[in-house]
Amino acid sequence: AAGKRVRVDANRAWTTDKYAEFLEGLGDAVASLDFVEEPPFAKAGVPRAYDEALWDARDEHGGWRDEFGAADALVLKPALLGLERCLNLAARHPRPVASSCFETGVGLAHLALLGAALPADAQGLGTYAWLAEDPFGFAELVGADGLVDAATAERRLRAFAEKVLDRAAAAR
């Protein structure tokens, strides 16, 4: 659709040849790419993002490599990197994007709150659609426009936590 941007992630599975073939197959549609995560090589006009490389660099210079500054986006996954490291990376880069890695609704609601604190961007919270069941009901927080209301998420988190604590107290 016109004006839509697409993010692509092959989870580091592309060979150089396969990635070149992918880009060639896109033709003019390459202009619709928001970014490609972890491409095997940089190509002019194709925005790139780092994801797994952030994990690889976790023990280097506070988790930062100079090459990260040249990326168009950093995909931050607090479940893997830790919240503090994500916040440090976000402070150093103009386009941090919060993303999930199959958290339940509780984790996704926290990510939605983190995303609300980051510069305006679409955050990667769509993994909830892969869950067979989510007792928190994150899907109910996602509006028809695909946005999550942070204030509602925070209220739901507090109510959910109280419910869990009440159950634990009743079980004693």
Side-chain angles (χ1 to χ4, degrees):
K4 299 289 183 178
R5 308 284 289 166
V6 178
R7 295 176 180 175
V8 179
D9 183 4
N11 292 308
R12 291 184 163 177
W14 273 323
T15 63
T16 300
D17 290 341
K18 286 292 184 186
Y19 181 58
E21 183 181 323
F22 167 77
L23 292 176
E24 184 179 317
L26 283 178
D28 292 340
V30 74
S32 67
L33 291 174
D34 190 24
F35 56 72
V36 176
E37 287 186 32
E38 302 282 340
F41 60 86
K43 179 161 174 61
V46 180
R48 63 192 166 113
Y50 284 110
D51 177 354
E52 289 89 351
L54 302 176
W55 170 257
D56 294 346
R58 67 190 174 279
D59 296 325
E60 302 173 23
H61 314 292
W64 181 263
R65 291 180 183 162
D66 289 340
E67 67 193 71
F68 296 165
D72 295 281
L74 297 183
V75 179
L76 307 176
K77 295 180 177 172
L80 298 178
L81 299 172
L83 181 60
E84 184 176 1
R85 182 170 295 129
C86 286
L87 293 173
N88 288 335
L89 290 168
R92 294 184 76 166
H93 198 276
R95 189 172 179 209
V97 177
S99 186
S100 61
C101 46
F102 298 104
E103 290 90 342
T104 64
V106 172
L108 289 169
H110 280 97
L111 274 171
L113 295 176
L114 171 62
L118 296 175
D121 205 335
Q123 308 302 324
L125 308 179
T127 56
Y128 73 89
W130 291 90
L131 299 176
E133 185 178 343
D134 178 13
F136 181 75
F138 183 79
E140 298 164 15
L141 292 175
V142 180
D145 56 3
L147 300 177
V148 176
D149 176 50
T152 302
E154 186 173 11
R155 284 192 302 276
R156 288 275 307 274
L157 275 169
R158 289 182 192 279
F160 190 75
E162 287 173 10
K163 188 175 168 181
V164 169
L165 291 172
D166 288 346
R167 282 188 192 162
R172 285 188 226 160

